[in-house]
Amino acid sequence: MSSKEKILRPVKRIHGGALLPHLKGTAESETVVMPAPNIVKIPMSQHIGAPANPVVKVGDKVFVGTLIGEAQGFVSASVHSSVSGTVKEVAESTVNGSKCICVSIESDGDMRPDPTLEPFDVKTKEDIAEAAHRCGLVGLGGAGFPARVKLTVNKGKPIDTLIINGAECEPYIT
């Protein structure tokens, strides 16, 4: 049995788990680059905790990665632009049945990265938590829990183990 066959073999049901076939129908497909949308509406509440506070105004030019919403409190996450273009509106909107502030950006189609972005200088465990905070990094488990909260370790508590969850959460994604 090849390594690919071993990886994609039918899964066995574990106690309490669902038996789902892998169905990796796109595994051999070519990547398709999608064009930038004309307008994006980015909610300031994409995570559990306090919504981000918009830091842009109508008419501002933004790039991919530009900070558009600043975290408000420890359990909050910053929000960044996913397109380059011009801020057209900062207003309350209904998203998934709840009202929240959204930043609407008209894309210029160029998808230019923010020229001020630089790698973080990470040397300590505090630096890792701060980098996650500044990036707006959240978990993908459903609640969007801010990663900084998970990565903040109390002073005097040594880290002796790193656990990496390499499991895929969606059985049909490739």
Side-chain angles (χ1 to χ4, degrees):
M1 183 181 294
S2 73
S3 60
K4 182 177 178 181
E5 290 170 327
K6 287 178 186 175
I7 292 170
L8 298 179
R9 71 182 179 275
V11 293
K12 292 186 169 97
R13 182 181 167 93
I14 58 171
H15 177 71
L19 177 59
L20 297 172
H22 283 356
L23 298 176
K24 302 295 185 182
T26 60
E28 304 300 324
S29 298
E30 300 242 352
T31 300
V32 176
V33 177
M34 299 298 293
N38 294 330
I39 294 196
V40 295
K41 185 182 276 192
I42 303 175
M44 295 294 102
S45 184
Q46 297 188 31
H47 50 275
I48 198 165
N53 184 42
V55 294
V56 292
K57 60 187 180 318
V58 172
D60 285 354
K61 301 288 186 206
V62 297
F63 301 93
V64 175
T66 298
L67 178 72
I68 61 170
E70 190 170 49
Q72 297 298 300
F74 186 65
V75 183
S76 184
S78 294
V79 178
H80 300 80
S81 177
S82 58
V83 298
S84 56
T86 305
V87 175
K88 289 298 177 187
E89 183 179 52
V90 178
E92 187 174 76
S93 188
T94 301
V95 178
N96 294 330
S98 298
K99 291 192 181 285
C100 70
I101 300 295
C102 292
V103 173
S104 295
I105 302 167
E106 183 175 27
S107 173
D108 59 17
D110 293 336
M111 299 300 287
R112 285 176 287 159
D114 191 316
T116 66
L117 295 178
E118 292 185 10
F120 296 103
D121 187 21
V122 177
K123 294 188 173 131
T124 67
K125 60 187 175 189
E126 292 82 10
D127 292 343
I128 293 171
E130 180 61 20
H133 171 64
R134 290 185 43 211
C135 288
L137 192 62
V138 299
L140 295 176
F145 200 80
R148 171 179 64 163
V149 177
K150 297 176 185 182
L151 295 170
T152 299
V153 179
N154 293 334
K155 292 204 183 290
K157 296 274 184 179
I159 297 174
D160 62 7
T161 306
L162 174 64
I163 299 172
I164 299 173
N165 177 357
E168 184 177 301
C169 65
E170 298 291 341
Y172 297 108
I173 64 173
T174 303

